[in-house]
Amino acid sequence: MEADAIVVGGGLAGLVAATEIAGTGRRVFLLEQEPYLGGQAYWSFGGLFLVDSPEQRRLGIRDSLELAREDWFGAAGFDRETDSWGRRFAEAYLEFAAGEKRAWLTSLGVRFFPVVGWAERGGGLALGHGNSVPRFHIVWGTGPGLLEPFLRRVQELQDRGLLKVFLRHRVEEVLLEKGRVVGVMGTVLEPDTVPRGAPSSRKPKGEFRFLAQAVVLTTGGMGANLDLVRRFWPRRMGEPPRRMLSGVPDHVDGSGLFLAERAGAALVNLNRMWHYPEGVENHAPIWSHHGIRILPGPSALWVDATGRRLPPPCFPGFDALETLRHLRSTGLDWSWFILDLRTLAKEFALSGSEQNPDLTGRSWLGVVRNRIFGPSGPVRAFLQRGKDFLVDETLSGLMHKMEALAPGVLDPVRLEREVKARDRELANPFCKDAQLLAVQGFRRYLGDRLFRVAKPHPFLGGRGGPLVAVRLWTLTRKTLGGIQTDLKGRALTLQGEPVPGLFAAGEVAGFGGGGMHGYKALEGTFLGGCLFSGLLAAKGVAEELG
């Protein structure tokens, strides 16, 4: 069978690329190994990075392209020869995020929650890592809401005969002829009705060979392949954890990266990764090693496994990778949040569409109930059933439960001293505690004061209800490097030349250029990177096809 173009991977980047190419009148095959389309975007919280948006302006947030660029490059820290295309992608993406991105999405029917979130609040310096202002725009409907217009477009293009979807088709080789990509081949997998996200059968049913003038790889990263994560683990972050949780389904195995490499494409920056230090084991797992990320407000006391408080800027929601680097230096795989129930009710959310039924289901009543009168139902479920959540009326009782989970590790004297010292700082409206000073500053932002940041108060004494300890693990998520591409989405060789006929977009391409985030991300930029790189790859294919 033959098409004008083949898109491999049915996640967000693949949907964008396939629908944009087919929308020009070209015949496109969209191949996906799982029984459904949507990829990781389906499970996402639906956060998008926008600059100087109407939502920001209504909340009194003064943002600009200049400020966003300063924040991005302060986080990225580009310092390698292989960063040349990633840097260019970053510049172009910033223009997109400050320009036509929002208008394009709203024209498709995407709507946004009116309160802008403040993720990755930074490392403490204006020129360093972090968002200077809130930029995390939550799609009304979360990940599934963002996918909706593209899935509708897929159906429309199928009805017109321009797009054909092949589910359960696992691509295993890119076909080359005289140095040019001419198609793909692979295995047809048996039908499987497992729930979305659960490991699906790999039993072969047949083989396929499809030809095309252009092939676009949008196969995702390696976050579920813990062996690969450990193989490419950045040594600047210390040794990889012995125990990790997976934030993505099993099929996110990195195989598409090496598919491209065998076809001649350069893989760069694979030792740049985005993993979270706030993972908890899912009490109702769907995929292997299934973890959920806590989206913490800034008030919890974060201590290592022994009970020692983490140093600045290792506070909840400030600098994920710096915190992970610090925790790896302790030699132990877990850490703890210490807080009270009142703070948890105000500040705790869980990442993912399935953990936010109010936003995913577009329920304003649910949003008000959960965000103002929390905790939400999913958070309550973790409090009751999660292995990593402990509750007690007293600090001594809480520490006894913590000790029972890992005998001989916790220093209760140290932890008690840390909690009491933190509480003493609240005796005056001024203090030297950097975390408490930051919390007071964050509450000047209306969105934080209403929905995200509890009023500072002592944890001890019972004013905020029972005490809570949450054991945290490393949660794998994103591959920040990948196939090196140019701004047309063309896969490049080690010598910097395009592989004729081969394109890439999304996480498999480091969200563009082989790593447009550099070392660190500002959040809300992964889905946006899929959108943007998918658009550019589609334009590149259209130009190639003439």
Side-chain angles (χ1 to χ4, degrees):
M1 295 180 67
E2 188 168 355
D4 295 313
I6 294 170
V7 177
V8 183
L12 182 59
L15 293 173
V16 172
T19 54
E20 288 289 318
I21 298 167
T24 66
R26 299 290 182 170
R27 189 162 183 247
V28 178
F29 291 170
L30 175 59
L31 278 57
E32 168 58 53
Q33 70 176 3
E34 296 306 305
Y36 41 75
L37 298 174
Q40 296 178 62
Y42 177 87
W43 300 101
S44 76
F45 193 41
L48 289 174
F49 179 94
L50 297 174
V51 178
D52 192 26
S53 69
E55 290 79 13
Q56 287 175 303
R57 293 193 292 271
R58 281 195 291 268
L59 290 164
I61 299 166
R62 298 177 181 177
D63 200 7
S64 67
L65 176 58
E66 180 184 13
L67 182 61
R69 181 182 289 113
E70 185 174 273
D71 287 348
W72 189 290
F73 283 90
F78 294 120
D79 62 0
R80 301 176 179 176
E81 290 185 11
T82 53
D83 286 332
S84 58
W85 283 109
R87 184 188 292 270
R88 291 184 221 184
F89 248 93
E91 290 278 9
Y93 177 70
L94 286 164
E95 297 275 358
F96 177 64
E100 68 267 29
K101 180 180 178 181
R102 186 184 181 282
W104 171 59
L105 289 171
T106 55
S107 75
L108 297 174
V110 174
R111 297 295 179 263
F112 296 97
F113 185 63
V115 178
V116 182
W118 198 348
E120 286 297 293
R121 296 169 190 248
L125 297 176
L127 291 177
H129 172 67
N131 286 293
S132 297
V133 298
R135 296 193 178 103
F136 193 79
H137 295 68
I138 301 168
V139 171
W140 190 230
T142 66
L146 181 59
L147 287 169
E148 279 178 7
F150 300 104
L151 293 173
R152 284 197 303 269
R153 186 69 172 145
V154 165
Q155 188 59 57
E156 292 167 4
L157 291 164
Q158 283 183 292
D159 294 343
R160 291 170 55 191
L162 293 171
L163 178 62
K164 187 170 180 60
V165 176
F166 295 86
L167 299 176
R168 305 297 285 154
H169 280 59
R170 180 178 175 85
V171 174
E172 292 166 345
E173 288 297 332
V174 173
L175 300 175
L176 296 168
E177 191 173 288
K178 296 181 180 178
R180 180 179 181 82
V181 170
V182 295
V184 296
M185 63 179 292
T187 300
V188 180
L189 303 174
E190 69 173 358
D192 199 340
T193 58
V194 295
R196 180 187 287 268
S200 61
S201 171
R202 291 293 179 262
K203 184 177 179 180
K205 181 185 175 184
E207 297 179 345
F208 67 89
R209 178 186 176 94
F210 295 152
L211 301 179
Q213 299 175 59
V215 171
V216 186
L217 298 179
T218 61
T219 52
M222 65 171 94
N225 189 332
L226 301 187
D227 289 336
L228 268 186
V229 170
R230 290 189 175 95
R231 174 182 165 189
F232 291 104
W233 183 267
R235 295 305 164 189
R236 66 185 180 278
M237 302 292 289
E239 292 298 315
R242 291 175 291 276
R243 182 177 191 256
M244 288 188 281
L245 302 176
S246 176
V248 292
D250 291 50
H251 63 262
V252 187
D253 60 7
S255 58
L257 290 162
F258 304 103
L259 189 72
E261 187 177 48
R262 292 194 297 274
L267 303 183
V268 298
N269 303 319
L270 292 185
N271 64 348
R272 289 179 180 165
M273 304 174 177
W274 188 259
H275 305 312
Y276 293 108
E278 315 104 328
V280 292
E281 184 176 341
N282 194 345
H283 61 82
I286 299 173
W287 53 79
S288 303
H289 314 290
H290 190 172
I292 298 292
R293 185 202 174 197
I294 294 175
L295 298 173
S299 300
L301 198 68
W302 202 338
V303 300
D304 66 21
T306 70
R308 182 183 295 272
R309 191 174 178 188
L310 306 192
C314 302
F315 304 138
F318 279 59
D319 189 333
L321 289 193
E322 177 58 25
T323 304
L324 180 58
R325 187 201 63 77
H326 174 80
L327 288 171
R328 295 312 310 138
S329 71
T330 70
L332 295 165
D333 287 350
W334 71 95
S335 61
W336 296 95
F337 279 161
I338 306 295
L339 67 167
D340 60 23
L341 190 58
R342 188 168 105 192
T343 303
L344 180 145
K346 179 83 169 184
E347 296 196 357
F348 266 32
L350 299 168
S351 181
S353 57
E354 81 284 14
Q355 300 296 332
N356 293 274
D358 50 357
L359 292 165
T360 303
R362 301 182 175 97
S363 168
W364 283 109
L365 180 61
V367 168
V368 172
R369 183 173 58 245
N370 291 333
R371 310 293 153 167
I372 297 180
F373 304 108
S376 67
V379 173
R380 284 199 306 272
F382 270 89
L383 275 168
Q384 296 164 3
R385 301 169 57 191
K387 294 179 180 179
D388 298 312
F389 284 71
L390 305 174
V391 182
D392 201 275
E393 295 292 338
T394 68
L395 183 58
S396 60
L398 190 70
M399 292 191 296
H400 179 75
K401 293 177 180 179
M402 295 166 68
E403 168 70 14
L405 287 184
V409 177
L410 183 69
D411 180 348
V413 174
R414 177 77 195 202
L415 179 55
E416 183 175 13
R417 183 183 174 195
E418 296 280 15
V419 177
K420 287 182 175 178
R422 180 259 181 205
D423 282 3
R424 273 196 302 271
E425 291 286 292
L426 292 166
N428 294 288
F430 40 84
C431 66
K432 70 175 181 180
D433 189 292
Q435 183 178 8
L436 292 175
L437 287 170
V439 167
Q440 291 165 2
F442 295 150
R443 282 179 57 83
R444 295 171 58 190
Y445 168 48
L446 180 63
D448 273 352
R449 190 165 66 252
L450 290 178
F451 289 98
R452 202 72 181 102
V453 182
K455 184 177 181 180
H457 61 273
F459 288 155
L460 301 179
R463 289 171 52 186
L467 296 172
V468 182
V470 185
R471 184 165 58 163
L472 308 168
W473 305 90
T474 300
L475 179 74
T476 66
R477 187 74 93 198
K478 296 299 180 187
T479 310
L480 296 186
I483 302 167
Q484 187 133 58
T485 62
D486 62 14
L487 286 171
K488 296 180 180 180
R490 298 181 297 183
L492 304 177
T493 67
L494 287 171
Q495 292 73 39
E497 297 297 322
V499 178
L502 186 61
F503 298 77
E507 187 176 355
V508 76
F511 302 95
M516 75 170 190
H517 295 95
Y519 287 93
K520 293 182 180 180
L522 293 178
E523 291 285 23
T525 57
F526 301 132
L527 293 174
C530 290
L531 294 167
F532 184 59
S533 60
L535 283 171
L536 292 192
K539 291 178 181 178
V541 169
E543 181 178 311
E544 176 113 345
L545 296 178

